[in-house]
Amino acid sequence: MRDREPTIRSRELGDGLRAAMERAGLNNRRTAELLEWPEPRLSKVLHGRRGVTEVEVAEFLAVCGTRGKERTRLLDITRDQDTPGWLQQFGARLPKQLKTFIDHENKATDITDFATVVLPGILQTGEYARALLGRSATVPDKEVEDRIAARLARTNVFSRPRPPQFTFLLHELVLWLPVGGNEIMSDQLHHLLRLSVRRYLSIKVIPVASGAHAGNSGSFILMESDRYKPVAYLEGETSGLFLEEKPEIDSYRKVVKGLEDAALDEENSRELIGTVATERYASREDKDDGE
């Protein structure tokens, strides 16, 4: 197969094959020898820049001794490796779509997250996430704690030696929506203030007074990387959509520019968040005094 631009699925396949090699104690040179492949070809497959057939992947996994569910998973990915804009329905427990999203989040160097109704998952406290997921009509009760754990685990990206540069564009309505009540919202907003001083993280609020804005079509996440094509991610109630075609990415970059033009700067955004947090805290105190 010819060389090509990596797709979401081809990168995921390459990562899976590399992990299989490592589990087998093999390096690139030895694996290439066993498969009778040129080493440069193997390298391109592992980086998602060259396609492979199901037969070739089966041979690769046989060399690595990979069996069972992981073998089936990687063969399934092989069938979709050339599919851009991968749309995947949510499954049981933690969806494959969520795992794929986290994988790309970990590879990104710049991430822009625009939220219209609720806070981005990576900014949520455990109690906020629990209150939010507990009211979901589509997340079974038995999955709530798994989803919360996954959201909290995502914050590990903040602890990397070189974390991505995050830009969070939050509509003001996100701050006022009383998820879980005043106590939870007060704690959540103070958590935002603590995060907002980190050098790699920018939080900007789009005030209600700005009216209609460039992001009227809804929330999205734009992930950019030095090594891979950029990806835009849109999450619905029952599905997640990954977009990676150039016209699509160019459109979302324009939306980001329009949103940044409408947003308050970081200092004024912190001031607004603090004002809302103080009001929530005062409401909590009033409630405690009345009990």
Side-chain angles (χ1 to χ4, degrees):
M1 292 187 179
R2 295 181 180 179
D3 294 355
R4 44 80 179 287
E5 283 290 319
T7 66
I8 291 168
R9 290 299 252 171
S10 71
R11 293 196 295 266
E12 189 174 10
L13 176 62
D15 289 344
L17 296 178
R18 185 182 296 106
M21 267 176 34
E22 292 173 354
R23 285 193 296 269
L26 299 172
N27 58 24
N28 283 24
R29 178 176 296 180
R30 181 55 180 158
T31 303
E33 289 175 354
L34 292 171
L35 291 170
E36 298 183 350
W37 290 3
E39 193 170 342
R41 177 191 175 192
L42 174 63
S43 178
K44 290 178 180 179
V45 169
L46 296 178
H47 286 90
R49 296 197 298 268
R50 187 181 179 95
V52 281
T53 66
E54 286 185 59
V55 171
E56 289 171 333
V57 170
E59 292 174 349
F60 187 108
L61 297 175
V63 163
C64 296
T66 302
R67 300 180 178 85
K69 292 182 179 179
E70 181 63 5
R71 180 180 185 277
T72 300
R73 184 182 77 87
L74 292 174
L75 289 173
D76 286 344
I77 293 173
T78 304
R79 300 183 189 103
D80 294 334
Q81 65 185 298
D82 294 316
T83 304
W86 173 43
L87 177 66
Q88 184 179 55
Q89 296 299 311
F90 283 171
R93 309 291 291 175
L94 292 183
K96 293 179 182 179
Q97 168 266 349
L98 175 59
K99 296 176 182 177
T100 300
F101 169 79
I102 293 173
D103 177 63
H104 290 286
E105 183 177 64
N106 287 333
K107 288 183 172 68
T109 54
D110 292 272
I111 298 174
T112 302
D113 194 328
F114 170 54
T116 59
V117 180
V118 298
L119 284 164
I122 199 168
L123 296 181
Q124 295 175 10
T125 64
E127 289 306 309
Y128 181 100
R130 185 170 288 105
L132 192 64
L133 291 170
R135 296 297 297 272
S136 171
T138 58
V139 178
D141 291 343
K142 65 181 180 180
E143 294 183 24
V144 169
E145 292 304 318
D146 286 334
R147 299 287 184 98
I148 294 169
R151 290 189 185 189
L152 296 179
R154 285 175 56 202
T155 61
N156 290 335
V157 71
F158 294 152
S159 302
R160 282 165 42 182
R162 294 182 179 179
Q165 181 62 47
F166 285 92
T167 299
F168 293 98
L169 298 166
L170 311 178
H171 195 277
E172 185 181 347
L173 293 174
V174 172
L175 309 180
W176 289 105
L177 186 70
V179 175
N182 286 324
E183 182 174 355
I184 288 175
M185 283 304 301
S186 176
D187 291 341
Q188 173 65 75
L189 294 174
H190 280 94
H191 178 62
L192 283 189
L193 291 173
R194 290 190 293 271
L195 289 174
S196 70
V197 300
R198 302 190 183 193
R199 57 179 176 75
Y200 53 82
L201 195 151
S202 171
I203 298 178
K204 297 179 180 180
V205 178
I206 298 149
V208 170
S210 66
H213 50 74
N216 285 326
S217 59
S219 302
F220 64 87
I221 301 173
L222 181 62
M223 295 178 280
E224 312 236 16
S225 169
D226 293 337
R227 296 176 56 193
Y228 304 116
K229 290 172 62 178
V231 175
Y233 175 67
L234 288 70
E235 184 175 11
E237 188 63 38
T238 59
S239 64
L241 177 64
F242 290 93
L243 303 173
E244 55 185 326
E245 295 301 309
K246 187 177 185 303
E248 297 166 334
I249 298 302
D250 288 345
S251 293
Y252 277 96
R253 284 173 174 160
K254 290 178 182 177
V255 173
V256 168
K257 176 62 168 59
L259 290 170
E260 289 184 327
D261 289 343
L264 302 173
D265 61 24
E266 291 181 55
E267 182 177 352
N268 285 311
S269 294
R270 275 193 290 270
E271 184 176 341
L272 178 56
I273 294 169
T275 298
V276 181
T278 300
E279 182 167 327
R280 294 293 187 192
Y281 184 80
S283 297
R284 179 175 67 178
E285 291 290 288
D286 291 343
K287 179 180 177 182
D288 290 343
D289 290 343
E291 290 178 349

